[in-house]
Amino acid sequence: MRVVMCALFLLLLFDGLLAPPVARADIYRYVDKSGVVHFTNTPTTSKFVLYRRDSSSSGNSGLGDVIRRYASINRIEEALVRAVIKAESDFNPRARSSKGALGMMQLIPATARDLKVNDPFDPEQNIRGGSRYLRLMLDQFDNNLELALAAYNAGPNAVIRHGGIPPYPETIQYVGRVKNFLKYYRKNQDALL
């Protein structure tokens, strides 16, 4: 009888009936002062930023799927959307700049309203709006990547007024950073770091 009970227990265990349910959650990360990368699904400080969204949490698809969808809708290379997100917020959905830009793709509130982004801290809405804005900049500047990126950072009027990339150190550095990240994401297509 004891052998039968043990066998039944093992059968149920391996069949998954006694196994604990699988927990799913978003994954957050931060890099400490020593360069050590920490991951968690329960961030304890604001140092943690979203690394990977769980596709089962809150009905949203994974972050990679969101990027892929809006890149496709807006006819933009996925790697470019990832590069802009990396440069703008390092994939932090709660990012807020000193100039008031919000979320992963750092939308200014007026731009977010124009793009019908109600919650710029919602990654899907932010990526939808940011990808659309990036497409508008590419269209306005005849698909010239450098000018479109400069316009994304400094505004299209600054690019027009200066007849090219504005001579702002921040904008010049921004264009270079995004292009470097673009090279990386072209080689590492699904990376979010």
Side-chain angles (χ1 to χ4, degrees):
M1 181 69 163
R2 191 174 197 177
V3 171
V4 171
M5 292 297 283
C6 188
L8 180 59
F9 174 78
L10 289 173
L11 178 64
L12 290 173
L13 180 66
F14 288 116
D15 198 30
L17 296 176
L18 294 180
V22 175
R24 293 191 168 101
D26 296 340
I27 303 296
Y28 297 83
R29 73 166 175 97
Y30 91 90
V31 181
D32 67 21
K33 293 176 185 175
S34 302
V36 176
V37 181
H38 300 265
F39 293 93
T40 185
N41 65 340
T42 54
T44 54
T45 72
S46 61
K47 294 177 184 177
F48 283 95
V49 296
L50 183 68
Y51 168 70
R52 185 167 300 236
R53 182 165 297 284
D54 175 25
S55 61
S56 67
S57 66
S58 67
N60 291 332
S61 59
L63 191 57
D65 292 339
V66 171
I67 292 168
R68 194 170 298 111
R69 179 177 335 121
Y70 292 112
S72 175
I73 288 169
N74 291 295
R75 303 173 334 276
I76 302 172
E77 187 179 356
E78 277 181 60
L80 178 58
V81 176
R82 290 176 195 275
V84 169
I85 293 171
K86 177 69 175 172
E88 290 287 350
S89 71
D90 197 21
F91 288 89
N92 179 358
R94 306 297 303 169
R96 183 185 305 259
S97 79
S98 60
K99 295 179 182 176
L102 305 170
M104 294 181 89
M105 294 188 78
Q106 291 290 277
L107 299 175
I108 298 292
T111 303
R113 277 191 300 277
D114 290 345
L115 296 167
K116 303 200 180 344
V117 172
N118 298 320
D119 179 3
F121 294 118
D122 176 78
E124 184 160 358
Q125 287 187 45
N126 193 283
I127 292 168
R128 175 180 49 79
S131 297
R132 177 71 183 129
Y133 188 68
L134 185 55
R135 175 78 260 160
L136 292 170
M137 296 303 98
L138 286 163
D139 289 346
Q140 184 169 350
F141 295 99
D142 298 319
N143 287 311
N144 181 311
L145 180 61
E146 290 185 346
L147 295 182
L149 291 173
Y152 193 97
N153 178 262
N157 291 335
V159 173
I160 293 167
R161 187 171 54 252
H162 292 283
I165 297 174
Y168 313 147
E170 176 191 332
T171 301
I172 294 166
Q173 291 172 2
Y174 174 81
V175 170
R177 286 182 67 225
V178 173
K179 288 174 66 178
N180 285 334
F181 289 135
L182 178 58
K183 288 177 194 172
Y184 172 80
Y185 288 118
R186 282 176 172 162
K187 292 178 184 173
N188 304 285
Q189 294 179 358
D190 290 327
L192 293 180
L193 290 175

